Amino acid sequence: MSDDQRRVPSAEEEALWRKRFSVFALLRVSGLVLMFIGIGIALSDWLRPGGWPVLGWILAVLGLGEAMIMPRLVQRSWKDQ
């Protein structure tokens, strides 16, 4: 396909893709933040002396799941629309 035949996306399509990219980025960043907070809770004295390993690792796993799995689920739901 040559440069002359490429379709230029409309302003609505571009806004939609910007919004979707923002959602992806927000999910990944918030998942990573939650994961690091969980690791901090598990290994430091933030909430109680000696750390709180059970709560911390649960939050870390949930954060990792949010960062890795949720964007794929959202993408799949957008494909179904």
Side-chain angles (χ1 to χ4, degrees):
M1 191 181 241
S2 70
D3 290 334
D4 296 333
Q5 295 175 343
R6 289 188 183 161
R7 190 176 70 82
V8 177
S10 68
E12 290 177 359
E13 289 175 329
E14 189 172 328
L16 176 66
W17 285 106
R18 284 179 192 257
K19 180 179 161 186
R20 288 182 177 183
F21 178 78
S22 298
V23 170
F24 266 51
L26 182 65
L27 282 172
R28 290 192 187 268
V29 169
S30 64
L32 289 176
V33 167
L34 184 61
M35 183 188 75
F36 286 123
I37 288 173
I39 291 171
I41 289 171
L43 301 177
S44 72
D45 297 333
W46 283 354
L47 296 182
R48 67 180 190 187
W52 199 346
V54 174
L55 176 65
W57 293 118
I58 288 172
L59 287 176
V61 168
L62 288 175
L64 186 62
E66 180 183 344
M68 302 288 291
I69 296 169
M70 287 304 292
R72 292 182 182 163
L73 293 176
V74 169
Q75 181 184 21
R76 195 173 294 159
S77 73
W78 285 335
K79 284 183 180 180
D80 293 341
Q81 289 180 355

